[in-house]
Amino acid sequence: MSKVVFTAEQLQVIEAPPGNLLVSAAAGSGKTAVMTERLLERLIRGEVSVDHVLILTFTNAASESMEKRIRKRLTEAMEEARQDGRTEVADRLREQLLLLSRAHISTIHAFCLWLIQNFPHEVVDAAAEPLLEADFSTLDPEAAEQLRQEALAAVMDRAYTDAEEQPGEQADVFLSLVDNYSSARSDQQLRKLVLNLHNYLRSLPDYAQVVSKKLTELEETCRNFSASPHMRYLVQGLRLRLDRALAVVPELCRRLEDPLLQFAGKTAQTTHEDFAALFQSLFQTCQAMDGVLERWEAEPQKVAVWDEIYSLARGMEWKKPRVMKTDSDAKQTFVELLVKSFSDLLYYVDASGANPLGKQCIYPAQRVWTAPAEEIEEAHLGTLPLIKRLFGLVLELDEEYARRKGQRKRIDFADYEHFALAVLRRPDGGDFCRSQFREVYTDEYQDTSSIQESILQAVCPDKLFMVGDVKQSIYRFRNARPETFLQKSADFKDAKGGRYFGLNRNFRSEAGILQAINEVFQRVMARDFSGIAYADGHAMEVGRAGSRTRGRVELWINLEAESANLAENVTETEAAARDCLPP
Ligand SMILES: Nc1ncnc2c1ncn2[C@@H]1O[C@H](COP(=O)(O)OP(=O)(O)O)[C@@H](O)[C@H]1O
Ligand SMILES: [Mg+2]
């Protein structure tokens, strides 16, 4: 294979001075190639030693191929140096080759296991109590799940028995929780919810504290909804929808003047003027809402934004015009544009559920402004004890599961991460890692979970090289948090905390394919829908020389296979989990 000639933008990444560097790039743009090349260049130039770097890949196979590649290139460089009579360089590279077999090139789980095995005495909780038996072994994912479910069964049995033996407020809360989250026949739904929440919590560092903090916040929200971050978030949702609708108002007003646009006749309104008046009143209400939001945005404490919007929405009179096949094009396109632009907004603020545009929403919609703030507070306060009990169950499950693992001297994959973080927070393990690992390289960074991010930060907070593609984040079910990637991208773009690099040239596919992919994704990936705006620097450029655009590209969407795929994904999950096992 001929040697890769890196592009100028790739070279910028390869040669950037060490620091926190994030490379955000599409599939096939050479992320892995650039990461490997950067490391190699630094090794060959003697800027870092291979035993002083930590290289994290997503699978064992990727680790192996990365190591092979490094070995091959170091060997070539060593021979070249020897032939050129650069003995010192050749000797250094020979040493690097010897060190390579001890280098840390692995998945993050294998790295965590290495930490635990090397600092077992530092696997302790906050009270310095040991968390790990000397002769522990790892539960395979199926056995872990089985044990977790048994632990949950014990927790639920205990809760039912307690409710029966000690009737009272606590018992009532538990029983309403069961009532609210289960069907008449079984409490499977509630059990599933507890298991899922537990799974999610385990992907966070210090989750017990997180739960207690979040519950306190939730309590505050419930007691004072109007001043809560939750309400602010909902108002921002309104702002988004309102802006989208208001942007088309001038166009709609212009079309209303079109002589070909006539609403009178077979529809409920007798004259076109009636309709025009109805639209005008809709637009005016929206403008009034805009005014409320503007005042609130300027002085949030002074405006009862929730209730003001609520009363505007309640006062809104609205009927959807009927369209017949025989209607003029002008009318059809007017109604189409109106529905497209306003349905989401109207549904969002529709307190009564009577809005005829509600059913027309393109994206999954929700009714949000369903009651005045005071009523919402009351309802929230009513559910608060249930939510607290729910999280109580999750933490009881966690304890019971930990107890059962302890009895069997077993740990699971999430324990790898939590125990590794415990080690990194202790003096021996933490100091060792920070002095040992001068640089960290991590591939597929978009699939990093919160606790994994904490581990990376604890190992090397200032020389982290990350490559990834947020569009390829497929491991949400494994608690990957692409949000971290997006946040870092935004910060680094503003030169806050690191440097950002984008690579958009694709070297894997032909021009025609890339064109088609860009075409599709520019339409379906928008920021307010998927969190990522494809148009905003994600489109792929052709990287292959002499790439062809001829030929037809067909897009096959196999809806039937979707459900089969889901089933397959489960086995894929298991396979992926197994793949994280250290070799
Ligand atoms: N500048 C380049 N010129 C030619 N081929 C390249 C270039 N950069 C990367 N490649 C090749 O493109 C392919 C995809 O690279 P890879 O690093 O696997 O991409 P990614 O990790 O972004 O998906 C690889 O075969 C790689 O060798
Ligand atoms: Mg890659």
Side-chain angles (χ1 to χ4, degrees), residues 31-33 443-444 508:
K31 290 185 297 298
T32 307
D443 203 354
E444 309 290 356
R508 219 174 256 151

Side-chain angles (χ1 to χ4, degrees), residues 199-419:
N199 221 347
Y200 169 66
L201 284 184
R202 294 272 287 160
S203 78
L204 309 177
D206 310 308
Y207 50 92
Q209 286 98 304
V210 173
V211 168
S212 115
K213 185 165 162 264
K214 290 281 167 199
L215 286 178
T216 313
E217 278 173 21
L218 185 65
E219 185 148 4
E220 279 161 21
T221 297
C222 291
R223 291 194 192 288
N224 192 355
F225 173 67
S226 301
S228 68
H230 181 218
M231 191 212 65
R232 277 204 298 282
Y233 171 78
L234 295 175
V235 178
Q236 279 151 10
L238 174 63
R239 168 50 85 203
L240 200 80
R241 289 164 173 81
L242 194 61
D243 284 351
R244 211 188 295 146
L246 284 173
V248 291
V249 166
E251 170 69 15
L252 287 169
C253 284
R254 198 182 53 72
R255 290 190 188 199
L256 266 179
E257 306 292 317
D258 183 346
L260 290 174
L261 182 74
Q262 281 302 321
F263 283 104
K266 300 182 189 94
T267 46
Q269 266 66 28
T270 46
T271 68
H272 181 72
E273 281 63 41
D274 283 346
F275 259 117
L278 193 64
F279 297 139
Q280 291 299 351
S281 107
L282 170 70
F283 300 157
Q284 273 160 16
T285 311
C286 289
Q287 261 142 11
M289 286 185 178
D290 187 42
V292 174
L293 291 194
E294 267 175 19
R295 276 192 288 119
W296 174 76
E297 279 150 2
E299 285 183 297
Q301 286 89 6
K302 293 213 175 136
V303 183
V305 62
W306 188 270
D307 288 345
E308 285 199 35
I309 296 288
Y310 181 72
S311 81
L312 282 172
R314 290 280 300 210
M316 210 181 242
E317 193 200 342
W318 177 246
K319 291 187 187 70
K320 187 189 164 214
R322 267 206 295 164
V323 190
M324 317 269 183
K325 282 210 177 84
T326 48
D327 279 333
S328 67
D329 279 356
K331 180 169 167 186
Q332 302 214 10
T333 54
F334 180 89
V335 174
E336 210 175 283
L337 184 61
L338 182 83
V339 167
K340 205 169 104 191
S341 321
F342 276 78
S343 52
D344 195 23
L345 166 71
L346 291 178
Y347 199 58
Y348 198 73
V349 296
D350 179 22
S352 60
N355 166 18
L357 284 192
K359 295 186 201 81
Q360 316 264 347
C361 295
I362 305 165
Y363 302 133
Q366 51 171 341
R367 290 205 295 129
V368 169
W369 252 265
T370 49
E374 205 179 58
E375 264 178 49
I376 291 187
E377 259 165 39
E378 249 168 60
H380 280 183
L381 278 176
T383 50
L384 185 63
L386 304 194
I387 293 174
K388 284 186 168 170
R389 189 69 188 95
L390 174 64
F391 278 96
L393 284 175
V394 175
L395 293 179
E396 281 169 43
L397 161 64
D398 192 51
E399 240 171 65
E400 181 63 32
Y401 178 46
R403 204 173 59 75
R404 286 171 187 240
K405 279 182 292 183
Q407 280 170 346
R408 292 162 179 75
K409 299 187 180 180
R410 294 296 183 89
I411 68 174
D412 67 8
F413 285 125
D415 287 322
Y416 279 19
E417 297 168 337
H418 288 282
F419 293 171

